[in-house]
Amino acid sequence: MTKSVFLSIQQLKLTSTLALSLMLMACAPEPEVKDVQATEAEIEYLFDRWNNALQTGDAAAVAAYYANDAVLLPTLSNQVRTDHEGIREYFGYFLALQPNGRIDESNITINGNIAIDAGIYTFTLTKNGQEQEVQARYNFVYERQNDGEWLIINHHSSAMPEEIVDEPELMKNILIKEQG
């Protein structure tokens, strides 16, 4: 009889120790990705990865490269998108135009697990069988996740003002004149 009580106490100690260990592990913060500096080539690739997802025609595949709480300020919509559903919905529309993008000018800044790519890109869009090129300003803000994957946390794209104003001379007092 004493032996079975002794085993019960042993089992209780073991169970308590195991439960305490599991609770402590659950409370521990996620391990962070080490601050290994990314290269510009690695950040440049992120646009290619995103553009290749556009080529699939699958809005969900494109949205997968955005963080859950990402913000998208899209070129062809006045609506700010702040979740995967909204981002996927926008790309459902945008992908119907069969977009194919290229970077014309890129300026990359890398700071630890955050990278910014800002510049000018051009998209070839097809509507009603007609191809049209649309040039836009962009910025992508990427964040390296704990698993090492880079996701878009902020993406802003806006058509060049000269392209969207019927009479560009109306903006002569607003636009900055190029020196040269």
Side-chain angles (χ1 to χ4, degrees):
M1 185 172 207
T2 306
K3 187 174 183 182
S4 66
V5 171
F6 180 71
L7 287 177
S8 295
I9 292 173
Q10 253 187 342
Q11 289 174 340
L12 180 62
K13 285 181 182 180
L14 181 60
T15 303
S16 298
T17 303
L18 182 58
L20 181 60
S21 297
L22 289 173
M23 286 188 293
L24 289 174
M25 286 173 49
C27 294
E30 285 188 50
E32 289 191 25
V33 173
K34 293 188 183 198
D35 246 354
V36 176
Q37 191 73 4
T39 65
E40 283 197 20
E42 184 179 0
I43 303 310
E44 288 170 353
Y45 165 75
L46 297 175
F47 173 82
D48 294 334
R49 178 183 77 169
W50 176 81
N51 193 43
N52 289 337
L54 293 177
Q55 306 313 302
T56 69
D58 181 358
V62 178
Y65 290 120
Y66 289 80
N68 289 333
D69 57 351
V71 174
L72 170 64
L73 301 170
T75 310
L76 302 179
S77 172
N78 292 331
Q79 183 180 355
V80 177
R81 313 299 171 120
T82 59
D83 59 25
H84 265 244
E85 181 58 29
I87 291 169
R88 189 201 55 71
E89 179 185 317
Y90 170 75
F91 282 109
Y93 165 75
F94 186 64
L95 292 176
L97 299 172
Q98 303 168 357
N100 188 10
R102 73 173 186 274
I103 298 284
D104 300 320
E105 178 184 334
S106 174
N107 301 282
I108 294 174
T109 303
I110 304 167
N111 187 359
N113 291 326
I114 299 290
I116 301 168
D117 181 2
I120 298 170
Y121 53 22
T122 300
F123 277 92
T124 301
L125 305 174
T126 305
K127 187 173 182 178
N128 300 324
Q130 299 282 7
E131 281 191 358
Q132 178 183 0
E133 286 199 341
V134 176
Q135 193 173 52
R137 300 170 288 193
Y138 74 87
N139 76 33
F140 288 96
V141 180
Y142 301 100
E143 181 179 47
R144 186 174 17 216
Q145 306 300 296
N146 287 334
D147 64 2
E149 182 181 15
W150 288 93
L151 292 179
I152 300 164
I153 59 171
N154 190 296
H155 176 194
H156 175 215
S157 179
S158 57
M160 300 297 267
E162 299 85 2
E163 299 294 324
I164 61 172
V165 175
D166 292 331
E167 300 178 47
E169 63 274 5
L170 295 177
M171 295 192 68
K172 68 182 174 187
N173 295 325
I174 298 171
L175 296 176
I176 298 170
K177 297 283 186 195
E178 292 290 324
Q179 302 295 323

